[in-house]
Amino acid sequence: MVSNKVEKALNEQIKIEAESSQFYLAMASWAETKGLNGTALFLYQHADEERMHMLKLVKFVNERGGHAIIPALDQPPVEFENIQNVFQNLLDHEVFVTTSINKVVDICLGEKDYPTHNFMQWYVAEQIEEEALARTMMDKINMIGTDKGGLYLFDRDLENLSATPIDAGV
Ligand code: FEO
């Protein structure tokens, strides 16, 4: 059974994962309209992955005797300045998600909720990977700068990378 405090923290995390999915979906749609098909594919998959992160939490809360609340979501941005801006937003957002996951872990320890603490370790590990991936993307994007040929190759690389389905662990 989860305590009220842990249940509240998990429900807040459900909202953050849902917002992440919407945010990346908005980025994917923007990229697709700019002809950045590889980038769009990568971001559509990333949005799906975030939905799985949300779903995994929903199921866990309900299994533990709580009630997972499906939240209302704000409209994400429609326009992005450029591809640099998209990946900077992605990196900043993942850093924010990591902070939020760490807060949930902290609350679990405070409440001596070891099963939820154990469950949350999957998210801790996932955030290390997601932040590293976002940083690698950002480094590449910065290296390319305004070089159109470089951008073309970056987008094509993302198309190949996204051809491998992502295991969201659900
Ligand atoms: Fe579910 Fe990318 O954090």
Side-chain angles (χ1 to χ4, degrees):
M1 190 81 191
V2 280
S3 68
N4 286 343
K5 214 167 161 184
V6 170
E7 184 178 358
K8 186 168 174 276
L10 292 174
N11 269 316
E12 279 165 13
Q13 194 59 38
I14 285 171
K15 184 166 191 213
I16 288 174
E17 300 294 344
E19 280 169 349
S20 305
S21 182
Q22 289 287 92
F23 195 19
Y24 299 159
L25 197 53
M27 291 177 183
S29 180
W30 176 86
E32 198 165 43
T33 65
K34 301 294 172 199
L36 296 162
N37 292 347
T39 305
L41 184 63
F42 170 80
L43 290 165
Y44 278 126
Q45 283 193 357
H46 212 73
D48 283 348
E49 207 182 327
E50 297 302 344
R51 189 172 186 280
M52 286 302 158
H53 293 177
M54 177 199 69
L55 211 53
K56 203 173 157 84
L57 280 158
V58 166
K59 289 178 178 171
F60 181 80
V61 171
N62 290 338
E63 262 169 29
R64 296 281 299 151
H67 186 171
I69 310 297
I70 308 306
L73 302 173
D74 292 336
Q75 161 142 32
V78 175
E79 294 294 339
F80 295 88
E81 257 168 66
N82 49 37
I83 192 164
Q84 281 84 355
N85 179 248
V86 165
F87 281 98
Q88 187 63 56
N89 266 291
L90 189 133
L91 173 59
D92 292 347
H93 191 75
E94 286 302 330
V95 170
F96 160 73
V97 174
T98 300
T99 310
S100 167
I101 295 283
N102 289 345
K103 277 189 202 153
V104 178
V105 171
D106 235 31
I107 291 168
C108 291
L109 285 178
E111 293 286 292
K112 296 195 186 333
D113 183 342
Y114 301 115
T116 307
H117 180 268
N118 184 51
F119 169 78
M120 289 306 294
Q121 294 313 302
W122 183 87
Y123 287 85
V124 171
E126 182 72 9
Q127 280 315 116
I128 295 171
E129 270 183 36
E130 296 217 333
E131 268 195 45
L133 180 63
R135 284 208 173 84
T136 305
M137 298 287 185
M138 211 48 225
D139 288 347
K140 283 189 184 174
I141 283 283
N142 284 336
M143 211 155 56
I144 293 163
T146 53
D147 176 40
K148 287 213 161 58
L151 185 60
Y152 170 79
L153 290 175
F154 173 82
D155 192 64
R156 206 186 56 183
D157 278 358
L158 273 186
E159 197 153 7
N160 292 333
L161 180 78
S162 305
T164 319
I166 298 164
D167 177 10
V170 172

